[in-house]
Amino acid sequence: MAYSSPSVIKDAKVLMVGAGGIGCELLKTLALSGFPDIHIIDMDTIEVSNLNRQFLFRQFHVGQSKAKVARDAVLKFRPHINITPYHANVKDPEFNVDFFKQFNVVLNGLDNLDARRHVNRLCLAANVPLVESGTTGFLGQVTVHVKGRTECYECQPKPAPKTYPVCTITSTPSKFVHCIVWAKDLLFAKLFGDKNQDNDLNVRSSDAASSSKNVEDVFERRKDEDIDQYGRKIFDHVFGYNIELALSNEETWKNRNRPKPIYSKDILSDEPAQQNGNLEKKYESDELSVSAMASLGMKNPQDIWSLKENSRIFLEAFRLFFTKREKEIGNLSFDKDDQLAVEFVTAAANIRAASFGIPLQNLFEAKGIAGNIVHAVATTNAVIAGLIVIEAIKVLKNDIKNYRMTYCLEHPARNMLLMPVEPFEPNKSCYVCSETPLSLEINTNRSKLKDLVEKIVKAKLGMNLPLIMCASNLLYEAGDVEDDMIAIYEANLEKALAELPSPVTGGTMLTVEDMQQEFVCNINIKHRFFLNSYFLYSVKKFLESNTIMLEELNKFIVFLFFSLSSLSHVALR
C-alpha cells in the first residue's frame, strides 16, 4: 500500500537550520515523509570526523558545504522535491524576519546556544512555530515553541554548555576551552594514550590520503629519530601542517577569522634543536614530580607564557614524558593532578589558541577549565529527527492539544526510553517573549559602556547588532552606521556609564534593541557598590582560622589591597 502524505505536508514550506548529525537524519525523514519544499541553512563544511554519523556525506565530500551536499544526496532518491541550500550563517542579515515569515514551521538542528536564541527571536518576531532539538550521546530532546501558546526557547534559563561539538574542537575553535579539550582529549591521548586510536590529528592532503599505505605516520617515532627531532616533528605537524591544510579549504573561512600556521623553526629559530632542561638528576627518584616548568626555571603558574615560552614548555614536557616516564606511554590518560600532563596540555592549548587568535591563559586557569567531548550517536540523532517531524506535523495541523516536549532519557528500571510531557505556558517573566524589563545592578561610576555592550547586551542577552538608547538619546549603535557617528560611538564605549552624554545612573531605564531580530528589551539600571566575592570568601576564611601564619597573613593583606582596587562588577537579573 502506497503511503499518502497528509495535505498539510504537501502544502508546507519548511526551514531547517543545521545540516549536521540531526540535520542529515531530519532532511532524509522530511523527504521520505513527503515534504515538498525544504530550505536548509548551514555554514559548516564537511570534516572527516562527521563521516561516522552524518550518513549523507562521503570521504570525497570533505571540505564541501554541508547544506549543498545534503541536498544533492537526498535528491538522488527524492528527485521531485524542492530543496534549497544556503551555505551561510543563520545570523547573516539576509535571514531576517521577512525571510522567516515565508515558512510554515522552522526546525532546528543546531549545536550552540547563541544560534538557537537568535532563531527563537526571529520565529517570535515572524510568528512562525519553532521545533527545537538537541542530542548529547544517548540523550536528547525535542521541544515545541509557538508564540503565545507555549513557552519560547528562552523562557527557562539554559545552563552553559559543558560539552562541545567534535567539529568545533578539531576544526574551528573559537574559545580557549575548545583548545583545552583538543589538547587533552585528542593530542595528549594520541601521543601518550592508546597508540592504536585514530582521530583527526592524522590529517593528510587528499593526494596523500589516496595513497596512505605508502605515507609515513607522523606520530610513529623512527628507530633512529632523536627525541627532540621527534618532538619538533609533532609540533610542526599539528600546529603547522594541519593548519595549512585546513586553510586550503576556502569555504570554511569565508565567515571566520583565518588561523595562522605555527612552525617550531619560526618560534625557536635562535635555539638549537635540542633544548634539554637542567634538572636531570632531580627526577631520578620520583618520576611523577617531573616538571617542564621546573626544568626550564619557570615557577609562577599564574604567569601567562609567551608563544615562545609555550613552545619550549611543549617540547620540554614532550621530552620528559619520553625520557622519564617512557614506561607509562601507551596507557596514560589525562589527570589534572599530573603536573607534567597539565603543563603539556596548557602549552599545546595556548599554541593552538595563538594560531586561531584566541587569548592565551595561564597554567592555573587552564587547569581549572573543565571540558569534555560527548560523541554523537547516530541512532539518537535518528530518533530525535523522527520526533521532530512528528511534532512538525502536529504544528501544521494546529493540533495544540497533542503538542509534546519529548525527552530521550535512560530509565532502565522502568524500561523507558522516551518521556513526553505537555508544553509549558509562556513564562510571564521572560524578557524575550513577555517583554518583561530586566534589572541590572552595576557600578555606574566604574563600568564602561563597552562592558555593558560586550558582557551584557551581546554575551548575556544574545544580541548581534544592538542599539542602546537612554530616553530619546542614542548612546550606541552597531551595524551599518554613518561615518560621522562611528567616532562618537567609539568614544562613548570608553566612557563610564555615569560619564556618558546622557548619564546612566541608578534609576535610569535603558532601551536595547536588535533590529535584525526585531527584539527590544528594557533594562532598569541600579547603581551598586560591589565587593569582590572571592575577597568576601577570603575574609570569612581569615576569621574562621584558629592559627594564621605570618606568610599567610602577608598574602591576605596583598590580596586585600588588590581586591579593594578593582571593585567594578555587574549583575543581571
Side-chain angles (χ1 to χ4, degrees), residues 211-259:
S211 57
S212 57
K213 292 182 180 179
N214 301 319
V215 177
E216 179 187 13
D217 185 353
V218 174
F219 289 88
E220 283 294 326
R221 182 185 177 187
R222 297 190 303 269
K223 290 182 180 180
D224 59 343
E225 192 170 27
D226 177 83
I227 188 62
D228 297 291
Q229 293 175 339
Y230 179 40
R232 290 206 179 202
K233 181 178 73 173
I234 297 296
F235 185 108
D236 292 341
H237 180 77
V238 297
F239 301 120
Y241 175 77
N242 280 1
I243 300 299
E244 282 197 350
L245 199 60
L247 285 170
S248 66
N249 180 17
E250 294 293 336
E251 287 287 340
T252 301
W253 312 110
K254 280 187 175 180
N255 299 302
R256 296 185 176 97
N257 292 327
R258 296 170 65 88

Side-chain angles (χ1 to χ4, degrees), residues 427-483:
N427 181 357
K428 295 180 180 179
S429 299
C430 177
Y431 69 93
V432 177
C433 65
S434 298
E435 300 180 359
T436 302
L438 287 166
S439 290
L440 175 64
E441 296 182 356
I442 191 169
N443 187 329
T444 58
N445 296 323
R446 296 290 301 275
S447 298
K448 297 179 179 179
L449 180 62
K450 178 171 62 177
D451 299 324
L452 178 69
V453 171
E454 297 297 330
K455 298 178 181 179
I456 301 299
V457 176
K458 290 185 177 180
K460 295 292 185 182
L461 301 184
M463 294 190 179
N464 302 314
L465 301 173
L467 178 152
I468 302 176
M469 297 189 69
C470 179
S472 59
N473 299 308
L474 186 59
L475 300 177
Y476 175 79
E477 183 179 6
D480 189 11
V481 181
E482 295 180 3
D483 293 341

